[in-house]
Amino acid sequence: MSATPERKGRLSPGDIRARKGIEPVVCLTAYTTPMAQLVDAHCDVALVGDSVGMVLHGLPSTLGVTMEMMILHGKAVARGSSRACIVVDMPFGSYEEGPEQAFRNAARLMAETGCQAVKLEGGRHMAETVAFLVARGIPVMGHVGLTPQSVNTLGGYKVQGRSHHEADRILVDAGTLADAGAFAVVLEKLPTVLGRRITQEIAVPTIGIGAGVDCDGQVLVIDDMLGLFSEFRPKFVKRYAELGASAEAGIAAYADEVRARAFPGPEHVFGEGNPE
Ligand code: KIV
């Protein structure tokens, strides 16, 4: 069991921001009430990521995720959480047009889910939008490096920032978001050396996913780290459980017992007139 620090009340984006250089930020995604309850007991941030589209809805990318999906899952996570800072992803197409569109949709996410902050993808071209939201009461987590909503312009889910030029660009992106008021910045799929450099140079916590151990915090997609997908094994994911294999064995045993008329057994049935 982790030595989860004692906490009173819910962590705010400001509390997460204040962790810089003091204590690692522990973050996992959550999409449902039962998973949110588990995450809430151990993590500082519960991220309702738009990865929900691929993980729970079988979409081929995050591009088809809608505001309605994020609101549905955001509400479910809020019902299962009382301590973690809940961050909800802004889906593709809900913020890129400009600050006003972003405010309208971010305000809706905050009001309808009860989350504490939103996350959006993109570097310096999002800085104006981040500043606009923050000035109007909406805490924002940034996300640079591999930004899955840009899979079509990036040409796949490759490691980013391998060349000096690209690394410098991503560093400037992260710093610009921090300067615009983001309370933390996700760094996805970067060489460890670049994750370290950005962490040293920007003023707010970096939350790494495939960006090395030097980031100020870490995030993983919960279904990946619990081994719910047997075939999906990215290098940056450590599996802390094998729930997929265990679920498969349980389902196969149930199917065998139903076919053999071995389930339900006497202990699972009700006799006439017996109390339940
Ligand atoms: O959607 C998501 O789950 C994310 C994390 C991988 C950072 O953005």
Side-chain angles (χ1 to χ4, degrees), residues 29 47 49-51 89 119 143 186 188 209 219 221:
T29 66
L47 172 65
D50 62 351
S51 51
D89 258 345
K119 175 164 82 58
H143 185 157
V186 169
E188 180 160 353
I209 174 163
V219 59
V221 169

Side-chain angles (χ1 to χ4, degrees), residues 10 16 19 35 39-40 46 58 65 93 111 117-118 122 134 137 140 144 148 161 177 211 218 227 265:
R10 193 183 282 288
I16 302 301
R19 290 283 187 84
M35 281 299 191
V39 167
D40 199 56
V65 174
V118 299
V134 172
V140 180
V144 300
L177 292 176
Q218 298 290 332

Side-chain angles (χ1 to χ4, degrees), residues 72-93:
L72 184 76
H73 290 286
K75 280 179 169 171
V77 168
R79 283 192 288 268
S81 147
S82 58
R83 295 158 22 118
C85 176
I86 303 174
V87 181
V88 176
D89 258 345
M90 300 201 70
F92 179 64

Side-chain angles (χ1 to χ4, degrees), residues 5-6 11 27 58-59 61 79 83 88 93 121 170 185 198 212 226 257:
E6 280 296 314
L11 284 170
C27 176
L59 294 175
S61 74
R79 283 192 288 268
R83 295 158 22 118
V88 176
E121 296 183 5
I170 296 169
V185 179
I198 296 174
L226 293 180
E257 290 192 5

